[in-house]
Amino acid sequence: MKINGVRYYLWRAVDQDGTVLDILVQSRRDAKAAKRFLTKLIRKQRRVPRVLVTDKLRSYGAAHRQVMPGVEHRTSKYLNNRAENSHQPTRQRERAMKGFCSAGGAQRFLSAFSGVSPHFRPRRHLMIATGYRAEMTVRCALWGQITGAVGRPAEA
């Protein structure tokens, strides 16, 4: 992604179900940046993953050897699809916002967006239409309770 003419890279960690675990916006894709991302991920998750799946960027290997040498590291063009597909809602939102103003603003937005977005995007392909509508009704009601929007009059 480009912010004010400067190229930034979006580092995402995704679990086996496609849920985004962590996002980090950085200006580099070197071993130091990869190490920073992996240590932040481990600190946030409070556990070491069983398997690490990445693309073939060599800086992942260097960071993997330093941060979590006991974890199996797989690099494949096809195994990484879950992480790449998890990026689509982020790109759509970025386009709708006409980009980000700063790297810090992008980091703040994406950290919040990655946690909230799955709540409103149930796995539609696994449900029938009536089940999807019922699930969305429950999720919207729950969101209203969490945010305190239930019971307030609508402002015009």
Side-chain angles (χ1 to χ4, degrees):
M1 86 177 56
K2 276 194 166 190
I3 302 172
N4 295 332
V6 179
R7 175 116 179 114
Y8 286 91
Y9 299 98
L10 191 62
W11 298 71
R12 288 176 322 282
V14 181
D15 69 359
Q16 66 271 12
D17 298 321
T19 304
V20 177
L21 301 174
D22 200 7
I23 289 183
L24 185 63
V25 177
Q26 296 192 87
S27 60
R28 301 192 181 233
R29 287 192 79 196
D30 58 1
K32 183 178 175 183
K35 181 179 174 185
R36 181 178 174 212
F37 178 65
L38 291 178
T39 53
K40 181 181 180 233
L41 177 66
I42 290 173
R43 199 173 333 115
K44 187 175 179 181
Q45 295 297 313
R46 295 190 179 123
R47 62 185 175 92
V48 178
R50 189 176 44 84
V51 177
L52 177 67
V53 178
T54 64
D55 58 8
K56 294 186 181 187
L57 183 67
R58 294 181 64 86
S59 59
Y60 284 121
H64 165 258
R65 285 189 297 277
Q66 290 179 357
V67 177
M68 50 178 115
V71 174
E72 181 184 354
H73 184 204
R74 297 179 189 164
T75 59
S76 170
K77 184 161 67 171
Y78 305 107
L79 291 175
N80 197 36
N81 283 348
R82 187 164 286 126
E84 296 302 329
N85 289 336
S86 74
H87 188 51
Q88 289 174 356
T90 303
R91 299 294 292 174
Q92 291 169 351
R93 189 67 189 145
E94 179 186 7
R95 216 173 6 264
M97 293 175 66
K98 295 183 172 58
F100 298 107
C101 295
S102 68
Q107 178 68 54
R108 283 189 303 276
F109 171 77
L110 293 172
S111 294
F113 181 73
S114 66
V116 173
S117 178
H119 182 75
F120 295 104
R121 295 175 189 263
R123 299 177 174 268
R124 174 67 180 98
H125 64 285
L126 299 176
M127 302 178 184
I128 59 174
T130 54
Y132 174 76
R133 285 192 291 272
E135 180 68 23
M136 286 306 294
T137 302
V138 169
R139 288 182 182 208
C140 288
L142 180 62
W143 182 256
Q145 290 174 352
I146 291 170
T147 59
V150 175
R152 277 199 235 155
E155 295 180 22

